[in-house]
Amino acid sequence: MSANGGEFFLAGDDLLIGGKRLGSRFFLGTGRFPSPAVFQLALEASAAEVVTFAVRRVNLDYTEDDSILQHMAGRSYTFLPNTSGAGNADEAVRIAKLARAAGLSDWIKVEISAHPRTLLPDPIETLRATERLVKEGFTVLPYTSDDPILCKRLEEAGAAAVMPGGAPIGTGLGLLNPYNLGLIIEEAGVPIIVDAGIGSAADIVQAMELGADGILVNTPVAKAQDPVGMARAMRLAVEAGRLSYLSGRIPKRRYASASSETEGISISSASGGAAGGSVSAGSPHEAAAGEVQRSLPEQP
């Protein structure tokens, strides 16, 4: 890691998934952008190397002419097709095989929603699909709920990374259960990519400071008032949160702690102190009071 600052501050802190080394920990979705041109600019601003899209939105018969993929032509990305729209493991496996047969990728994000209003993932079908796709040779990244036990089961099933949601898709509610995410990260033997529910750069910093290995977003960038600006903000948030995590935060304390040493400092007391003399600062509050007293104008 460089200490020079700037955009390569985290150079060398690569993310390894399924044998592929990634320089960026920010994954971007392709849906709901106001125009292809805005998407392209946001993608550049994000510096994302992994791009996800719903297989059902891609023309599998003519992928070279597809409206989504055309806008990424000529640049090197890792495609992460997802099985959005699948209602069970059978459908997810079928979609994954179609994507691979069309030459899109052997990476697949398993996404099986069980409820039309919340779009929360079906845990049982997600686990089944992951087990089957791993046996088929896919690099599987399942989207799941923030259940620590389920995330561990997905890892044991062979997932290359696990993608717990911070909140339901598209809600922008942020991390509803940081405690659970912390447990998932603590127990994980594969990368944890926080997916869904992110609303702002602040949510990303929180997730990365918890120790998440990466972030996937779509709606909070695509539907922002300035998608390009938000893409850049979120990219910086990923880097800031990661750097903060690596640097190590201070432990939380119940009571105040002075930020400078007070031993050996003599100041005038706020109440006049000893006549014509000085007193040792007994507490940070007394030291601060002395500073204020010295800065006040003399009274007539």
Side-chain angles (χ1 to χ4, degrees):
M1 183 168 57
S2 168
N4 296 326
E7 75 181 81
F8 299 108
F9 194 80
L10 294 176
D13 180 38
D14 294 340
L15 174 61
L16 189 64
I17 297 179
K20 185 180 287 289
R21 194 170 295 280
L22 303 167
S24 171
R25 293 171 179 269
F26 190 27
F27 300 6
L28 189 64
T30 58
R32 309 187 72 182
F33 281 86
S35 72
V38 172
F39 166 67
Q40 281 187 303
L41 292 172
L43 182 57
E44 291 175 5
S46 74
E49 298 175 16
V50 176
V51 180
T52 187
F53 49 83
V55 174
R56 60 189 169 87
R57 293 176 52 225
V58 175
N59 184 347
L60 296 178
D61 293 327
Y62 302 98
T63 54
E64 67 277 11
D65 296 328
D66 183 81
S67 59
I68 296 175
L69 303 180
Q70 272 187 337
H71 298 294
M72 292 178 275
R75 288 177 286 182
S76 179
Y77 293 106
T78 296
F79 287 163
L80 178 59
N82 66 64
T83 65
S84 173
N88 54 51
D90 288 340
E91 292 178 9
V93 170
R94 181 179 62 82
I95 291 171
K97 289 182 175 179
L98 287 173
R100 183 162 69 179
L104 292 179
S105 177
D106 60 0
W107 282 38
I108 191 73
K109 175 188 170 187
V110 173
E111 187 172 330
I112 303 174
S113 298
H115 192 283
R117 187 159 61 92
T118 64
L119 296 179
L120 288 172
D122 185 320
I124 297 172
E125 294 298 311
T126 298
L127 181 58
R128 286 175 175 165
T130 298
E131 291 171 338
R132 291 172 59 183
L133 288 167
V134 168
K135 290 179 181 175
E136 294 277 352
F138 283 89
T139 298
V140 186
L141 291 79
Y143 161 63
T144 183
S145 58
D146 59 357
D147 181 332
I149 303 303
L150 177 58
C151 287
K152 199 62 183 175
R153 294 287 180 267
L154 290 166
E155 176 187 334
E156 292 168 351
V162 179
M163 309 181 76
I169 291 174
T171 61
L173 292 171
L175 308 186
L176 295 182
N177 198 335
Y179 175 77
N180 267 23
L181 282 176
L183 290 179
I184 291 167
I185 291 164
E186 186 178 327
E187 296 294 327
V190 296
I192 299 298
I193 312 298
V194 174
D195 178 17
I198 298 294
S200 72
D203 300 332
I204 289 179
V205 171
Q206 184 185 14
M208 295 302 292
E209 284 189 321
L210 283 172
D213 296 284
I215 301 289
L216 189 153
V217 300
N218 189 160
T219 302
V221 172
K223 305 303 288 183
Q225 292 183 19
D226 177 0
V228 180
M230 185 60 79
R232 178 169 171 75
M234 289 189 163
R235 167 200 170 182
L236 295 173
V238 170
E239 295 181 3
R242 177 67 177 172
L243 184 55
S244 177
Y245 169 74
L246 293 175
S247 300
R249 63 158 296 144
I250 62 170
K252 293 182 179 180
R253 299 168 59 99
R254 184 174 178 84
Y255 299 107
S257 174
S259 58
S260 59
E261 299 294 337
T262 57
E263 292 181 3
I265 299 176
S266 294
I267 58 172
S268 299
S269 69
S271 60
S278 62
V279 297
S280 296
S283 72
H285 295 292
E286 290 173 356
E291 292 296 330
V292 171
Q293 183 70 15
R294 284 198 295 271
S295 67
L296 291 174
E298 294 184 0
Q299 297 297 313

